[in-house]
Amino acid sequence: MRLRIRPTETAFYDLFTQLAQHLVEGADLLAKMLDESVDRDDVAAQLREVEHNADETTHAIINRVNQTFVTPFDREDIYKLASSLDDVMDFIEEAGDLVVLYELDALPGRMASMVEVIQRGCELTAEAMPRLRTMTDLSEYWIEINRLENQGDRDYRRILAKLFSGEYKALEVLKLKDVVDSLESAVDALESVANTVEQIAVKES
Amino acid sequence: MRLRIRPTETAFYDLFTQLAQHLVEGADLLAKMLDESVDRDDVAAQLREVEHNADETTHAIINRVNQTFVTPFDREDIYKLASSLDDVMDFIEEAGDLVVLYELDALPGRMASMVEVIQRGCELTAEAMPRLRTMTDLSEYWIEINRLENQGDRDYRRILAKLFSGEYKALEVLKLKDVVDSLESAVDALESVANTVEQIAVKES
Amino acid sequence: MRLRIRPTETAFYDLFTQLAQHLVEGADLLAKMLDESVDRDDVAAQLREVEHNADETTHAIINRVNQTFVTPFDREDIYKLASSLDDVMDFIEEAGDLVVLYELDALPGRMASMVEVIQRGCELTAEAMPRLRTMTDLSEYWIEINRLENQGDRDYRRILAKLFSGEYKALEVLKLKDVVDSLESAVDALESVANTVEQIAVKES
């Protein structure tokens, strides 16, 4: 028998929006890293910084939910939303980190397409977070994320087919596959964020 | 202080049974795919269709739990059971998909044994779901699933040993290991379904 | 509106302490396995035994929480803590198991450093569990675990760089990477345990 009290608890929406904006910054840095002419070590350092900021925001959300008596929606859903947003960030940072660690030069072209999917997904997520407050226009968001996830999945499968086409050596395949798997996980995590938002919206309707 | 009201809320049991039956169909299609003489693209398309149906059923369960005031058992357990059943489906579909994507011909014989474990596990799960209603004869189910998981694990380890025996080239190992890891994950997910059922049964006892 | 009743429910603290002590035993056996002169099959058998005991303790915690009316802290947090401790054990056992299965001889030196991180993390965790009762001196524990996680991460990255340096053949890289990934997962799982403890402490403060 859940009580439904709506205080002016706006801090959660602000923090979720802030967290999603870190994702946008992270995805943009990841896109930069695909360009071979940049100083990748420098971009990777910036990416780590953004990931650190996202961690702090996630932490702030979790501490707040643990110390707040009335939350704008289910406590468990707040945890889930915060941790799935944080997962997106972790996979973005992991992908960028591996590009540097493995000293990868030429990346299959379709990787850029996957990173664009991630950038677009992060932007849509950042735009959707403030709308959690009024629960309006959220279905457009999760429908579009699902479409992006399908596109990301097609890209992923084509990259895999290319990696195993015989064009690459085994060690190179191992390295590239690690990066592509991180990208794929980031796309999946974006979908998982959208699923959580959908669940929250259904409960409130 | 949980209230225990038991309405005639039978829809959940029906939906869980339906979801588990999709798993049986999926596992059967995966077994078909091991046969090199079939049209694998065709079987893969059928498998995607089954996976899509399972997604819809999972969705229906989650929407219903979010909109229902009284549920037959803990809300969180319904989520967990639905999502772990859905995980089984995803891993089955992933395995089948990789067989086609990687254009694998000869698969190590023991893979068929692992797929049989998955088929049997899905059948047992589908038979157990309607018994959630009366909470009868469930321990046989999870004991048998645990036995199957042990068998699947032995198969998995023997396949790994074979893959690294020197008989296969590195790229081939990478491909086959991806498929076998998906099979292993499907077996683990079946065990995770059984653990959730056990937890539900313990709470109700 | 959670009631806060504190019965003399000490069994949970004892069980968590016992579970964490199994982790210490497991980590010590894993360290032993790095020594090429030991009978690895024998150590692996001991490790499986410890993992089995940890499973039983996890099971005992979950059954108790399901059958107990008043728990010392949130039911969901007890599940989370038990299952994340169990995850640490699973990854330790997996790493040891793969060393035997892949018949690995020479392991990169830095692997020993990662295993030391895991040993130290398990010891700290076992020392922290009894302090859950009074919620004292827990922040030292999770700060130190975070420091260890950073060290483990640096080791992990250096091992990866070495694995891909050209010194190892592709199949050898595949095998070693599997083991190192398990070690990395064990370190991450230790951090996840510490995060759960932190959440519990924040709620109680």
PDB file of all heavy atoms in Angstrom, chain A residues 6-40:
ATOM      1  N   ARG A   6       3.637  13.794  -3.298  1.00  0.00           N
ATOM      2  CA  ARG A   6       4.534  14.487  -4.226  1.00  0.00           C
ATOM      3  C   ARG A   6       5.068  15.780  -3.623  1.00  0.00           C
ATOM      4  O   ARG A   6       4.425  16.809  -3.703  1.00  0.00           O
ATOM      5  CB  ARG A   6       3.797  14.845  -5.535  1.00  0.00           C
ATOM      6  CG  ARG A   6       3.379  13.672  -6.350  1.00  0.00           C
ATOM      7  CD  ARG A   6       4.609  12.850  -6.728  1.00  0.00           C
ATOM      8  NE  ARG A   6       4.133  11.546  -7.149  1.00  0.00           N
ATOM      9  CZ  ARG A   6       3.837  11.252  -8.395  1.00  0.00           C
ATOM     10  NH1 ARG A   6       4.044  12.109  -9.331  1.00  0.00           N
ATOM     11  NH2 ARG A   6       3.367  10.054  -8.686  1.00  0.00           N
ATOM     12  N   PRO A   7       6.205  15.704  -2.979  1.00  0.00           N
ATOM     13  CA  PRO A   7       6.748  16.934  -2.432  1.00  0.00           C
ATOM     14  C   PRO A   7       7.474  17.674  -3.557  1.00  0.00           C
ATOM     15  O   PRO A   7       7.542  17.197  -4.694  1.00  0.00           O
ATOM     16  CB  PRO A   7       7.749  16.443  -1.412  1.00  0.00           C
ATOM     17  CG  PRO A   7       8.241  15.157  -1.999  1.00  0.00           C
ATOM     18  CD  PRO A   7       7.170  14.606  -2.888  1.00  0.00           C
ATOM     19  N   THR A   8       8.002  18.803  -3.242  1.00  0.00           N
ATOM     20  CA  THR A   8       8.760  19.544  -4.254  1.00  0.00           C
ATOM     21  C   THR A   8      10.182  18.980  -4.306  1.00  0.00           C
ATOM     22  O   THR A   8      11.157  19.713  -4.209  1.00  0.00           O
ATOM     23  CB  THR A   8       8.788  21.043  -3.907  1.00  0.00           C
ATOM     24  OG1 THR A   8       9.276  21.150  -2.558  1.00  0.00           O
ATOM     25  CG2 THR A   8       7.422  21.669  -4.030  1.00  0.00           C
ATOM     26  N   GLU A   9      10.277  17.657  -4.464  1.00  0.00           N
ATOM     27  CA  GLU A   9      11.566  16.970  -4.466  1.00  0.00           C
ATOM     28  C   GLU A   9      12.131  16.971  -5.894  1.00  0.00           C
ATOM     29  O   GLU A   9      12.079  15.975  -6.606  1.00  0.00           O
ATOM     30  CB  GLU A   9      11.356  15.551  -3.940  1.00  0.00           C
ATOM     31  CG  GLU A   9      12.604  14.697  -3.818  1.00  0.00           C
ATOM     32  CD  GLU A   9      13.689  15.337  -2.989  1.00  0.00           C
ATOM     33  OE1 GLU A   9      14.462  16.113  -3.580  1.00  0.00           O
ATOM     34  OE2 GLU A   9      13.777  15.070  -1.793  1.00  0.00           O
ATOM     35  N   THR A  10      12.598  18.133  -6.300  1.00  0.00           N
ATOM     36  CA  THR A  10      13.053  18.243  -7.688  1.00  0.00           C
ATOM     37  C   THR A  10      14.503  17.821  -7.852  1.00  0.00           C
ATOM     38  O   THR A  10      14.968  17.622  -8.966  1.00  0.00           O
ATOM     39  CB  THR A  10      12.926  19.692  -8.201  1.00  0.00           C
ATOM     40  OG1 THR A  10      13.831  20.502  -7.427  1.00  0.00           O
ATOM     41  CG2 THR A  10      11.512  20.208  -8.057  1.00  0.00           C
ATOM     42  N   ALA A  11      15.224  17.694  -6.737  1.00  0.00           N
ATOM     43  CA  ALA A  11      16.659  17.399  -6.837  1.00  0.00           C
ATOM     44  C   ALA A  11      16.927  16.135  -7.645  1.00  0.00           C
ATOM     45  O   ALA A  11      17.894  16.066  -8.404  1.00  0.00           O
ATOM     46  CB  ALA A  11      17.258  17.277  -5.448  1.00  0.00           C
ATOM     47  N   PHE A  12      16.063  15.117  -7.518  1.00  0.00           N
ATOM     48  CA  PHE A  12      16.297  13.873  -8.252  1.00  0.00           C
ATOM     49  C   PHE A  12      16.300  14.093  -9.761  1.00  0.00           C
ATOM     50  O   PHE A  12      17.152  13.577 -10.474  1.00  0.00           O
ATOM     51  CB  PHE A  12      15.253  12.810  -7.874  1.00  0.00           C
ATOM     52  CG  PHE A  12      15.536  12.156  -6.563  1.00  0.00           C
ATOM     53  CD1 PHE A  12      14.744  12.402  -5.449  1.00  0.00           C
ATOM     54  CD2 PHE A  12      16.615  11.282  -6.431  1.00  0.00           C
ATOM     55  CE1 PHE A  12      15.019  11.791  -4.230  1.00  0.00           C
ATOM     56  CE2 PHE A  12      16.888  10.667  -5.215  1.00  0.00           C
ATOM     57  CZ  PHE A  12      16.090  10.928  -4.107  1.00  0.00           C
ATOM     58  N   TYR A  13      15.337  14.876 -10.235  1.00  0.00           N
ATOM     59  CA  TYR A  13      15.272  15.121 -11.678  1.00  0.00           C
ATOM     60  C   TYR A  13      16.519  15.861 -12.155  1.00  0.00           C
ATOM     61  O   TYR A  13      17.062  15.583 -13.221  1.00  0.00           O
ATOM     62  CB  TYR A  13      14.008  15.902 -12.031  1.00  0.00           C
ATOM     63  CG  TYR A  13      12.761  15.235 -11.520  1.00  0.00           C
ATOM     64  CD1 TYR A  13      12.047  15.742 -10.452  1.00  0.00           C
ATOM     65  CD2 TYR A  13      12.331  14.040 -12.096  1.00  0.00           C
ATOM     66  CE1 TYR A  13      10.921  15.109  -9.967  1.00  0.00           C
ATOM     67  CE2 TYR A  13      11.210  13.388 -11.611  1.00  0.00           C
ATOM     68  CZ  TYR A  13      10.505  13.931 -10.547  1.00  0.00           C
ATOM     69  OH  TYR A  13       9.414  13.283 -10.072  1.00  0.00           O
ATOM     70  N   ASP A  14      16.943  16.824 -11.347  1.00  0.00           N
ATOM     71  CA  ASP A  14      18.144  17.574 -11.712  1.00  0.00           C
ATOM     72  C   ASP A  14      19.371  16.665 -11.760  1.00  0.00           C
ATOM     73  O   ASP A  14      20.186  16.748 -12.673  1.00  0.00           O
ATOM     74  CB  ASP A  14      18.395  18.695 -10.691  1.00  0.00           C
ATOM     75  CG  ASP A  14      17.307  19.767 -10.749  1.00  0.00           C
ATOM     76  OD1 ASP A  14      16.557  19.779 -11.748  1.00  0.00           O
ATOM     77  OD2 ASP A  14      17.203  20.564  -9.798  1.00  0.00           O
ATOM     78  N   LEU A  15      19.466  15.781 -10.775  1.00  0.00           N
ATOM     79  CA  LEU A  15      20.634  14.895 -10.730  1.00  0.00           C
ATOM     80  C   LEU A  15      20.616  13.895 -11.890  1.00  0.00           C
ATOM     81  O   LEU A  15      21.653  13.609 -12.492  1.00  0.00           O
ATOM     82  CB  LEU A  15      20.687  14.147  -9.388  1.00  0.00           C
ATOM     83  CG  LEU A  15      21.135  15.001  -8.188  1.00  0.00           C
ATOM     84  CD1 LEU A  15      20.858  14.268  -6.878  1.00  0.00           C
ATOM     85  CD2 LEU A  15      22.622  15.343  -8.281  1.00  0.00           C
ATOM     86  N   PHE A  16      19.447  13.363 -12.211  1.00  0.00           N
ATOM     87  CA  PHE A  16      19.366  12.440 -13.359  1.00  0.00           C
ATOM     88  C   PHE A  16      19.717  13.157 -14.658  1.00  0.00           C
ATOM     89  O   PHE A  16      20.387  12.592 -15.529  1.00  0.00           O
ATOM     90  CB  PHE A  16      17.971  11.809 -13.461  1.00  0.00           C
ATOM     91  CG  PHE A  16      17.774  10.645 -12.534  1.00  0.00           C
ATOM     92  CD1 PHE A  16      16.743  10.614 -11.604  1.00  0.00           C
ATOM     93  CD2 PHE A  16      18.637   9.551 -12.594  1.00  0.00           C
ATOM     94  CE1 PHE A  16      16.566   9.536 -10.746  1.00  0.00           C
ATOM     95  CE2 PHE A  16      18.470   8.464 -11.738  1.00  0.00           C
ATOM     96  CZ  PHE A  16      17.438   8.459 -10.808  1.00  0.00           C
ATOM     97  N   THR A  17      19.260  14.389 -14.792  1.00  0.00           N
ATOM     98  CA  THR A  17      19.577  15.158 -15.991  1.00  0.00           C
ATOM     99  C   THR A  17      21.078  15.408 -16.083  1.00  0.00           C
ATOM    100  O   THR A  17      21.694  15.239 -17.140  1.00  0.00           O
ATOM    101  CB  THR A  17      18.797  16.491 -15.968  1.00  0.00           C
ATOM    102  OG1 THR A  17      17.408  16.199 -15.838  1.00  0.00           O
ATOM    103  CG2 THR A  17      19.041  17.297 -17.238  1.00  0.00           C
ATOM    104  N   GLN A  18      21.668  15.754 -14.943  1.00  0.00           N
ATOM    105  CA  GLN A  18      23.113  16.000 -14.891  1.00  0.00           C
ATOM    106  C   GLN A  18      23.890  14.729 -15.264  1.00  0.00           C
ATOM    107  O   GLN A  18      24.830  14.768 -16.061  1.00  0.00           O
ATOM    108  CB  GLN A  18      23.442  16.425 -13.457  1.00  0.00           C
ATOM    109  CG  GLN A  18      24.848  16.903 -13.237  1.00  0.00           C
ATOM    110  CD  GLN A  18      25.067  17.255 -11.758  1.00  0.00           C
ATOM    111  OE1 GLN A  18      24.230  17.922 -11.126  1.00  0.00           O
ATOM    112  NE2 GLN A  18      26.171  16.788 -11.190  1.00  0.00           N
ATOM    113  N   LEU A  19      23.449  13.603 -14.712  1.00  0.00           N
ATOM    114  CA  LEU A  19      24.130  12.337 -15.003  1.00  0.00           C
ATOM    115  C   LEU A  19      24.059  12.026 -16.503  1.00  0.00           C
ATOM    116  O   LEU A  19      25.059  11.655 -17.129  1.00  0.00           O
ATOM    117  CB  LEU A  19      23.493  11.215 -14.171  1.00  0.00           C
ATOM    118  CG  LEU A  19      24.063   9.803 -14.278  1.00  0.00           C
ATOM    119  CD1 LEU A  19      25.573   9.780 -14.147  1.00  0.00           C
ATOM    120  CD2 LEU A  19      23.445   8.898 -13.202  1.00  0.00           C
ATOM    121  N   ALA A  20      22.876  12.233 -17.092  1.00  0.00           N
ATOM    122  CA  ALA A  20      22.726  11.954 -18.521  1.00  0.00           C
ATOM    123  C   ALA A  20      23.554  12.930 -19.361  1.00  0.00           C
ATOM    124  O   ALA A  20      24.037  12.573 -20.442  1.00  0.00           O
ATOM    125  CB  ALA A  20      21.249  12.008 -18.909  1.00  0.00           C
ATOM    126  N   GLN A  21      23.731  14.133 -18.858  1.00  0.00           N
ATOM    127  CA  GLN A  21      24.565  15.080 -19.607  1.00  0.00           C
ATOM    128  C   GLN A  21      26.041  14.661 -19.587  1.00  0.00           C
ATOM    129  O   GLN A  21      26.763  14.872 -20.563  1.00  0.00           O
ATOM    130  CB  GLN A  21      24.385  16.501 -19.071  1.00  0.00           C
ATOM    131  CG  GLN A  21      23.173  17.189 -19.725  1.00  0.00           C
ATOM    132  CD  GLN A  21      22.643  18.354 -18.916  1.00  0.00           C
ATOM    133  OE1 GLN A  21      23.113  18.623 -17.810  1.00  0.00           O
ATOM    134  NE2 GLN A  21      21.647  19.042 -19.456  1.00  0.00           N
ATOM    135  N   HIS A  22      26.471  14.042 -18.496  1.00  0.00           N
ATOM    136  CA  HIS A  22      27.822  13.473 -18.493  1.00  0.00           C
ATOM    137  C   HIS A  22      27.951  12.410 -19.586  1.00  0.00           C
ATOM    138  O   HIS A  22      28.989  12.297 -20.228  1.00  0.00           O
ATOM    139  CB  HIS A  22      28.139  12.838 -17.129  1.00  0.00           C
ATOM    140  CG  HIS A  22      28.285  13.819 -16.005  1.00  0.00           C
ATOM    141  ND1 HIS A  22      28.999  14.978 -16.122  1.00  0.00           N
ATOM    142  CD2 HIS A  22      27.812  13.798 -14.735  1.00  0.00           C
ATOM    143  CE1 HIS A  22      28.968  15.636 -14.969  1.00  0.00           C
ATOM    144  NE2 HIS A  22      28.238  14.940 -14.114  1.00  0.00           N
ATOM    145  N   LEU A  23      26.899  11.644 -19.785  1.00  0.00           N
ATOM    146  CA  LEU A  23      26.939  10.621 -20.840  1.00  0.00           C
ATOM    147  C   LEU A  23      27.129  11.261 -22.207  1.00  0.00           C
ATOM    148  O   LEU A  23      27.880  10.767 -23.045  1.00  0.00           O
ATOM    149  CB  LEU A  23      25.647   9.793 -20.871  1.00  0.00           C
ATOM    150  CG  LEU A  23      25.248   9.014 -19.632  1.00  0.00           C
ATOM    151  CD1 LEU A  23      24.130   8.042 -19.957  1.00  0.00           C
ATOM    152  CD2 LEU A  23      26.424   8.276 -19.053  1.00  0.00           C
ATOM    153  N   VAL A  24      26.424  12.389 -22.442  1.00  0.00           N
ATOM    154  CA  VAL A  24      26.573  13.086 -23.729  1.00  0.00           C
ATOM    155  C   VAL A  24      28.019  13.523 -23.926  1.00  0.00           C
ATOM    156  O   VAL A  24      28.616  13.292 -24.990  1.00  0.00           O
ATOM    157  CB  VAL A  24      25.619  14.306 -23.804  1.00  0.00           C
ATOM    158  CG1 VAL A  24      25.866  15.110 -25.071  1.00  0.00           C
ATOM    159  CG2 VAL A  24      24.162  13.852 -23.729  1.00  0.00           C
ATOM    160  N   GLU A  25      28.603  14.104 -22.877  1.00  0.00           N
ATOM    161  CA  GLU A  25      30.016  14.514 -22.968  1.00  0.00           C
ATOM    162  C   GLU A  25      30.920  13.311 -23.246  1.00  0.00           C
ATOM    163  O   GLU A  25      31.831  13.373 -24.074  1.00  0.00           O
ATOM    164  CB  GLU A  25      30.490  15.142 -21.644  1.00  0.00           C
ATOM    165  CG  GLU A  25      29.797  16.428 -21.243  1.00  0.00           C
ATOM    166  CD  GLU A  25      30.088  16.755 -19.761  1.00  0.00           C
ATOM    167  OE1 GLU A  25      31.264  16.720 -19.358  1.00  0.00           O
ATOM    168  OE2 GLU A  25      29.114  17.023 -19.015  1.00  0.00           O
ATOM    169  N   GLY A  26      30.656  12.217 -22.550  1.00  0.00           N
ATOM    170  CA  GLY A  26      31.469  11.015 -22.717  1.00  0.00           C
ATOM    171  C   GLY A  26      31.374  10.470 -24.133  1.00  0.00           C
ATOM    172  O   GLY A  26      32.386  10.117 -24.743  1.00  0.00           O
ATOM    173  N   ALA A  27      30.156  10.412 -24.668  1.00  0.00           N
ATOM    174  CA  ALA A  27      29.959   9.882 -26.022  1.00  0.00           C
ATOM    175  C   ALA A  27      30.648  10.784 -27.054  1.00  0.00           C
ATOM    176  O   ALA A  27      31.225  10.294 -28.034  1.00  0.00           O
ATOM    177  CB  ALA A  27      28.461   9.749 -26.321  1.00  0.00           C
ATOM    178  N   ASP A  28      30.620  12.095 -26.810  1.00  0.00           N
ATOM    179  CA  ASP A  28      31.284  13.013 -27.738  1.00  0.00           C
ATOM    180  C   ASP A  28      32.807  12.817 -27.720  1.00  0.00           C
ATOM    181  O   ASP A  28      33.457  12.845 -28.773  1.00  0.00           O
ATOM    182  CB  ASP A  28      30.927  14.472 -27.393  1.00  0.00           C
ATOM    183  CG  ASP A  28      29.463  14.795 -27.722  1.00  0.00           C
ATOM    184  OD1 ASP A  28      28.830  13.978 -28.428  1.00  0.00           O
ATOM    185  OD2 ASP A  28      28.952  15.839 -27.273  1.00  0.00           O
ATOM    186  N   LEU A  29      33.344  12.587 -26.538  1.00  0.00           N
ATOM    187  CA  LEU A  29      34.788  12.330 -26.446  1.00  0.00           C
ATOM    188  C   LEU A  29      35.143  11.016 -27.133  1.00  0.00           C
ATOM    189  O   LEU A  29      36.176  10.907 -27.806  1.00  0.00           O
ATOM    190  CB  LEU A  29      35.225  12.293 -24.975  1.00  0.00           C
ATOM    191  CG  LEU A  29      35.257  13.666 -24.288  1.00  0.00           C
ATOM    192  CD1 LEU A  29      35.399  13.498 -22.778  1.00  0.00           C
ATOM    193  CD2 LEU A  29      36.397  14.525 -24.835  1.00  0.00           C
ATOM    194  N   LEU A  30      34.285  10.026 -26.987  1.00  0.00           N
ATOM    195  CA  LEU A  30      34.526   8.740 -27.643  1.00  0.00           C
ATOM    196  C   LEU A  30      34.555   8.923 -29.168  1.00  0.00           C
ATOM    197  O   LEU A  30      35.403   8.352 -29.867  1.00  0.00           O
ATOM    198  CB  LEU A  30      33.440   7.735 -27.245  1.00  0.00           C
ATOM    199  CG  LEU A  30      33.577   6.318 -27.788  1.00  0.00           C
ATOM    200  CD1 LEU A  30      34.885   5.673 -27.352  1.00  0.00           C
ATOM    201  CD2 LEU A  30      32.405   5.451 -27.337  1.00  0.00           C
ATOM    202  N   ALA A  31      33.629   9.744 -29.678  1.00  0.00           N
ATOM    203  CA  ALA A  31      33.594  10.012 -31.124  1.00  0.00           C
ATOM    204  C   ALA A  31      34.891  10.697 -31.569  1.00  0.00           C
ATOM    205  O   ALA A  31      35.443  10.375 -32.628  1.00  0.00           O
ATOM    206  CB  ALA A  31      32.384  10.891 -31.455  1.00  0.00           C
ATOM    207  N   LYS A  32      35.373  11.608 -30.737  1.00  0.00           N
ATOM    208  CA  LYS A  32      36.632  12.313 -31.039  1.00  0.00           C
ATOM    209  C   LYS A  32      37.786  11.324 -31.173  1.00  0.00           C
ATOM    210  O   LYS A  32      38.674  11.490 -31.992  1.00  0.00           O
ATOM    211  CB  LYS A  32      36.945  13.261 -29.870  1.00  0.00           C
ATOM    212  CG  LYS A  32      37.185  14.702 -30.277  1.00  0.00           C
ATOM    213  CD  LYS A  32      37.600  15.508 -29.069  1.00  0.00           C
ATOM    214  CE  LYS A  32      37.317  16.980 -29.275  1.00  0.00           C
ATOM    215  NZ  LYS A  32      37.486  17.734 -28.023  1.00  0.00           N
ATOM    216  N   MET A  33      37.748  10.311 -30.341  1.00  0.00           N
ATOM    217  CA  MET A  33      38.852   9.370 -30.281  1.00  0.00           C
ATOM    218  C   MET A  33      39.001   8.532 -31.565  1.00  0.00           C
ATOM    219  O   MET A  33      40.059   7.976 -31.843  1.00  0.00           O
ATOM    220  CB  MET A  33      38.645   8.452 -29.083  1.00  0.00           C
ATOM    221  CG  MET A  33      39.919   7.828 -28.610  1.00  0.00           C
ATOM    222  SD  MET A  33      39.633   7.009 -27.055  1.00  0.00           S
ATOM    223  CE  MET A  33      39.815   8.372 -25.930  1.00  0.00           C
ATOM    224  N   LEU A  34      37.919   8.448 -32.316  1.00  0.00           N
ATOM    225  CA  LEU A  34      37.982   7.669 -33.563  1.00  0.00           C
ATOM    226  C   LEU A  34      38.848   8.370 -34.593  1.00  0.00           C
ATOM    227  O   LEU A  34      39.365   7.743 -35.525  1.00  0.00           O
ATOM    228  CB  LEU A  34      36.576   7.454 -34.136  1.00  0.00           C
ATOM    229  CG  LEU A  34      35.618   6.629 -33.288  1.00  0.00           C
ATOM    230  CD1 LEU A  34      34.327   6.385 -34.048  1.00  0.00           C
ATOM    231  CD2 LEU A  34      36.251   5.303 -32.871  1.00  0.00           C
ATOM    232  N   ASP A  35      38.995   9.663 -34.418  1.00  0.00           N
ATOM    233  CA  ASP A  35      39.830  10.444 -35.322  1.00  0.00           C
ATOM    234  C   ASP A  35      41.298  10.183 -34.976  1.00  0.00           C
ATOM    235  O   ASP A  35      41.754  10.497 -33.884  1.00  0.00           O
ATOM    236  CB  ASP A  35      39.479  11.934 -35.114  1.00  0.00           C
ATOM    237  CG  ASP A  35      40.309  12.826 -36.032  1.00  0.00           C
ATOM    238  OD1 ASP A  35      41.206  12.313 -36.736  1.00  0.00           O
ATOM    239  OD2 ASP A  35      40.049  14.038 -36.019  1.00  0.00           O
ATOM    240  N   GLU A  36      42.042   9.584 -35.926  1.00  0.00           N
ATOM    241  CA  GLU A  36      43.423   9.203 -35.625  1.00  0.00           C
ATOM    242  C   GLU A  36      44.345  10.391 -35.391  1.00  0.00           C
ATOM    243  O   GLU A  36      45.429  10.244 -34.826  1.00  0.00           O
ATOM    244  CB  GLU A  36      43.993   8.371 -36.781  1.00  0.00           C
ATOM    245  CG  GLU A  36      43.543   6.924 -36.756  1.00  0.00           C
ATOM    246  CD  GLU A  36      44.120   6.166 -37.932  1.00  0.00           C
ATOM    247  OE1 GLU A  36      45.337   5.894 -37.920  1.00  0.00           O
ATOM    248  OE2 GLU A  36      43.360   5.877 -38.876  1.00  0.00           O
ATOM    249  N   SER A  37      43.930  11.590 -35.843  1.00  0.00           N
ATOM    250  CA  SER A  37      44.828  12.745 -35.763  1.00  0.00           C
ATOM    251  C   SER A  37      44.834  13.395 -34.371  1.00  0.00           C
ATOM    252  O   SER A  37      45.698  14.209 -34.075  1.00  0.00           O
ATOM    253  CB  SER A  37      44.440  13.787 -36.813  1.00  0.00           C
ATOM    254  OG  SER A  37      43.169  14.327 -36.494  1.00  0.00           O
ATOM    255  N   VAL A  38      43.868  13.030 -33.518  1.00  0.00           N
ATOM    256  CA  VAL A  38      43.844  13.665 -32.194  1.00  0.00           C
ATOM    257  C   VAL A  38      44.890  13.033 -31.267  1.00  0.00           C
ATOM    258  O   VAL A  38      45.400  11.948 -31.543  1.00  0.00           O
ATOM    259  CB  VAL A  38      42.455  13.554 -31.500  1.00  0.00           C
ATOM    260  CG1 VAL A  38      41.383  14.249 -32.311  1.00  0.00           C
ATOM    261  CG2 VAL A  38      42.114  12.102 -31.206  1.00  0.00           C
ATOM    262  N   ASP A  39      45.178  13.713 -30.185  1.00  0.00           N
ATOM    263  CA  ASP A  39      46.041  13.159 -29.144  1.00  0.00           C
ATOM    264  C   ASP A  39      45.167  12.265 -28.265  1.00  0.00           C
ATOM    265  O   ASP A  39      44.479  12.722 -27.366  1.00  0.00           O
ATOM    266  CB  ASP A  39      46.643  14.309 -28.320  1.00  0.00           C
ATOM    267  CG  ASP A  39      47.521  13.786 -27.185  1.00  0.00           C
ATOM    268  OD1 ASP A  39      47.482  12.565 -26.897  1.00  0.00           O
ATOM    269  OD2 ASP A  39      48.238  14.599 -26.589  1.00  0.00           O
ATOM    270  N   ARG A  40      45.219  10.978 -28.582  1.00  0.00           N
ATOM    271  CA  ARG A  40      44.286  10.061 -27.913  1.00  0.00           C
ATOM    272  C   ARG A  40      44.490   9.982 -26.407  1.00  0.00           C
ATOM    273  O   ARG A  40      43.533   9.828 -25.656  1.00  0.00           O
ATOM    274  CB  ARG A  40      44.408   8.664 -28.532  1.00  0.00           C
ATOM    275  CG  ARG A  40      43.574   8.548 -29.789  1.00  0.00           C
ATOM    276  CD  ARG A  40      43.572   7.118 -30.299  1.00  0.00           C
ATOM    277  NE  ARG A  40      42.793   7.031 -31.525  1.00  0.00           N
ATOM    278  CZ  ARG A  40      42.941   6.056 -32.418  1.00  0.00           C
ATOM    279  NH1 ARG A  40      43.853   5.115 -32.236  1.00  0.00           N
ATOM    280  NH2 ARG A  40      42.184   6.026 -33.490  1.00  0.00           N
TER     281      ARG A  40
END
